[in-house]
């Protein structure tokens, strides 16, 4: 294919695209940083873990629905087709769809990519989706307008691998958020460690011990060990020290007030929330959260974070489905207002004939009633240019 850029094409006897990509990520990670954090160290940061949990819990609670679009748009049930059951109920024997989606979101937020191996029956129905463990990273190449995935000695094309990727430079693999935002994450990590060290030291700043006498190396080591054992640590905080033989202690550390530790931690929480597109109030920063703007922030969260994420997942799953089938997340639950607003919306939909009584009862978690599947509309509307259509009034006599 002539239109495919040369850097997409497979080259012989050259460094693989995967190695080039890993080198790029390594340079990004090491810029301005003295050390790289492991994924578990990064997930140990409460703000990052909270952001990932908020996104994964939000998406995984939304029901997945599949439709037959051959003639119109007909909702399919799990019993109608093995593919429907796999993609809405049980993607495999050891996971529910809730578990599967939560894992997908975490992989996307951490690594920027999620891979799952697709198993089909003889009719082409999808019967299993096996998530590929995060420690196994497929080698991905674009060959003749088709993505190819190498897992060990096995090679799969894009119809055999569900690959959902985050923001990408080359449309082949997504960028690792932990690599791209490494400096923000490192600052959060070291600020947290500073707090841990400060409180482990009894919330006391560091200092220097001086004496006007000459001490041997052995005497210095013994004195320091005794000092740390007696006065060091949170359990020995505020103990009174007795200094003899001309020994003097001078504090040389900076207090947390002077270092603006709390302000730094607060700013870092807001910055981490911005990296993951999560409103700060959802991870515990309530400083700028008010009752009159929570709903607006929820709507912002859906429009800028959850909405595009759902569309990305839907389009990737739809690309592996047979013709005439389509899947989507039902996000109406996420957009629901309070009870009064829900009642007003349901009433309007019922009167317009959009929903039946039983469909509304399903949404609010109630059982169906007999004859509740019929749809009704208001019929007391007339046109102004046809006064003859006005029904004749009748008088009731008691």
């Amino acid at each position: 294919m002539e239109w495919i850029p040369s850097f997409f094409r497979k080259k012989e006897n050259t460094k693989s695209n995967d190695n080039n990509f890993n080198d790029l990520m390594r340079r990004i990670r090491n810029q301005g940083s003295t050390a790289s954090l492991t994924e578990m160290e990064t997930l140990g940061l409460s703000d990052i873990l909270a952001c990932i949990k908020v996104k994964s819990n939000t998406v995984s609670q939304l029901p997945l629905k599949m439709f037959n679009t051959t003639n119109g748009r007909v909702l399919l049930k799990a019993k109608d087709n093995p593919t429907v059951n796999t993609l809405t109920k049980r993607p495999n024997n050891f996971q529910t769809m809730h578990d599967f989606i939560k894992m997908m979101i975490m992989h996307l937020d951490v690594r920027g990519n999620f891979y799952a191996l697709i198993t089909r029956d003889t009719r082409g129905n999808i019967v299993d989706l096996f998530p590929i463990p995060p420690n196994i990273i497929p080698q991905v190449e674009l060959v003749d307008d088709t993505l190819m995935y190498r897992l060990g000695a096995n090679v799969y094309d894009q119809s055999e691998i569900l690959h959902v990727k985050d923001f990408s430079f080359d449309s082949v693999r997504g960028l690792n958020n932990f690599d791209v935002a490494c400096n923000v994450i490192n600052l959060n990590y070291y600020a947290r460690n500073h707090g841990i060290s400060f409180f482990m030291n009894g919330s006391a700043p560091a200092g220097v011990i001086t004496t006007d006498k000459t001490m041997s190396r052995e005497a210095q080591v013994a004195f320091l060990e005794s000092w740390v054992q007696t006065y060091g640590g949170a359990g020995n905080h505020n103990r009174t020290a007795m200094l003899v033989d001309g020994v003097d202690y001078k504090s040389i550390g900076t207090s947390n007030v002077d270092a603006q530790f709390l302000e730094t931690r607060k700013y870092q929480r807001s910055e981490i929330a911005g990296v993951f597109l999560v409103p700060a109030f959802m991870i515990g920063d309530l400083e700028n959260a008010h009752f009159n703007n929570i709903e607006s922030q929820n709507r912002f969260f859906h429009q800028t974070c959850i909405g595009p994420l759902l569309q990305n997942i839907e389009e990737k799953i739809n690309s592996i489905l047979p013709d005439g089938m389509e899947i989507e997340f039902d996000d109406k639950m996420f957009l629901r207002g309070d009870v009064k607003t829900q009642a007003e919306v349901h009433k309007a939909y019922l009167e317009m004939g959009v929903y039946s009584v039983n469909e509304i009862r399903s949404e609010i978690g109630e059982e169906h009633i007999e004859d509740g599947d019929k749809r009704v509309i208001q019929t007391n509307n007339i046109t102004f240019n046809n006064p003859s259509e006005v029904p004749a009034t009748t008088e009731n006599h008691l």
Side-chain angles (χ1 to χ4, degrees):
M1 302 293 290
E2 293 298 327
W3 63 270
I4 300 178
S6 59
F7 59 83
F8 276 152
R9 296 175 184 163
K10 185 175 181 181
K11 298 179 180 180
E12 299 296 337
N13 300 323
T14 60
K15 200 175 185 181
S16 70
N17 286 341
D18 286 294
N19 290 334
N20 292 332
F21 184 79
N22 292 334
D23 289 342
L24 172 63
M25 290 296 96
R26 194 175 297 109
R27 290 196 300 271
I28 292 175
R29 177 183 280 273
N30 291 334
Q31 269 189 338
S33 302
T34 58
S36 298
L37 304 181
T38 66
E39 289 179 351
M40 291 308 299
E41 287 175 330
T42 307
L43 287 173
L45 299 173
S46 60
D47 299 336
I48 292 179
L49 184 62
C51 286
I52 295 176
K53 280 190 172 183
V54 166
K55 292 175 67 174
S56 62
N57 287 337
T58 299
V59 177
S60 62
Q61 69 177 320
L62 301 178
L64 272 166
K65 295 184 177 180
M66 187 169 290
F67 298 89
N68 185 335
T69 58
T70 304
N71 295 310
R73 184 176 168 86
V74 180
L75 178 65
L76 297 174
K77 297 182 179 179
K79 63 182 181 180
D80 296 335
N81 189 292
T83 299
V84 181
N85 182 68
T86 301
L87 294 177
T88 61
K89 299 293 183 181
R90 294 297 298 270
N92 49 61
N93 289 331
F94 56 91
Q95 283 183 307
T96 64
M97 203 61 194
H98 180 87
D99 299 330
F100 187 83
I101 294 296
K102 288 189 74 171
M103 175 184 285
M104 177 188 295
I105 302 303
M106 189 178 76
H107 283 204
L108 288 174
D109 279 338
V110 174
R111 297 175 176 270
N113 297 275
F114 172 79
Y115 304 95
L117 183 62
I118 303 170
T119 303
R120 302 177 189 267
D121 61 16
T122 55
R123 296 184 178 181
N125 297 312
I126 299 175
V127 293
D128 280 307
L129 285 175
F130 293 106
I132 297 175
N135 60 317
I136 300 177
I137 303 177
Q139 295 183 6
V140 189
E141 291 180 338
L142 189 61
V143 180
D144 294 332
D145 200 19
T146 300
L147 285 175
M148 305 299 294
Y149 300 84
R150 180 180 295 277
L151 290 169
N154 300 317
V155 178
Y156 305 90
D157 65 31
Q158 60 191 26
S159 66
E160 300 171 291
I161 297 288
L162 173 62
H163 179 196
V164 185
K165 53 182 172 290
D166 203 353
F167 182 76
S168 173
F169 276 144
D170 56 9
S171 295
V172 174
R173 61 181 64 78
L175 294 179
N176 186 318
N177 284 328
F178 287 1
D179 285 334
V180 176
C182 61
N183 289 331
V184 175
I185 293 171
N186 282 346
L187 180 57
N188 188 290
Y189 176 78
Y190 292 123
R192 185 205 64 174
N193 285 356
H194 166 75
I196 293 175
S197 176
F198 180 77
F199 287 105
M200 285 182 64
N201 195 39
S203 304
V208 61
I209 298 174
T210 63
T211 180
D212 54 4
K213 295 185 177 182
T214 302
M215 298 178 66
S216 65
R217 184 66 177 172
E218 293 76 11
Q220 293 177 19
V221 172
F223 180 84
L224 285 176
E225 288 179 352
S226 175
W227 178 274
V228 171
Q229 183 178 359
T230 306
Y231 304 110
N236 295 321
H237 180 51
N238 284 333
R239 294 189 65 177
T240 302
M242 184 176 68
L243 303 177
V244 296
D245 293 335
V247 174
D248 188 23
Y249 175 84
K250 294 180 181 179
S251 173
I252 61 172
T254 303
S255 69
N256 273 344
V257 174
D258 295 334
Q260 294 185 316
F261 173 71
L262 295 179
E263 288 79 2
T264 300
R265 292 287 286 158
K266 187 182 299 183
Y267 174 75
Q268 282 305 113
R269 171 170 287 185
S270 176
E271 194 169 20
I272 290 294
V275 170
F276 288 91
L277 298 178
V278 174
F281 80 90
M282 289 187 169
I283 60 172
D285 184 0
L286 302 178
E287 183 176 4
N288 297 316
H290 310 285
F291 287 110
N292 59 351
N293 69 359
I294 288 292
E295 185 176 350
S296 298
Q297 292 191 56
N298 277 327
R299 187 162 55 249
F300 170 83
F301 178 51
H302 180 269
Q303 292 174 347
T304 62
C305 178
I306 298 302
L309 180 58
L310 297 182
Q311 183 177 359
N312 183 21
I313 297 173
E314 289 170 354
E315 290 181 352
K316 289 299 180 182
I317 296 179
N318 285 333
S319 68
I320 64 172
L321 290 178
D323 294 337
M325 298 182 73
E326 183 178 284
I327 198 168
E328 70 175 32
F329 285 93
D330 184 1
D331 60 354
K332 291 194 295 294
M333 178 177 64
F334 183 74
L335 298 175
R336 287 176 183 170
D338 54 29
V339 176
K340 180 180 178 181
T341 303
Q342 289 185 51
E344 292 173 351
V345 171
H346 288 155
K347 179 182 177 182
Y349 282 163
L350 181 65
E351 292 177 349
M352 290 188 297
V354 177
Y355 283 172
S356 67
V357 172
N358 280 342
E359 287 173 326
I360 293 176
R361 290 180 67 86
S362 294
E363 283 206 359
I364 62 177
E366 298 293 337
E367 295 181 353
H368 288 191
I369 61 175
E370 189 177 355
D371 295 329
D373 293 322
K374 298 178 180 178
R375 299 187 181 185
V376 297
I377 59 173
Q378 293 283 358
T379 57
N380 58 349
N381 297 322
I382 61 173
T383 56
F384 287 107
N385 58 352
N386 250 332
S388 61
E389 293 182 359
V390 178
T393 58
T394 58
E395 296 183 359
N396 295 327
H397 301 281
L398 298 178

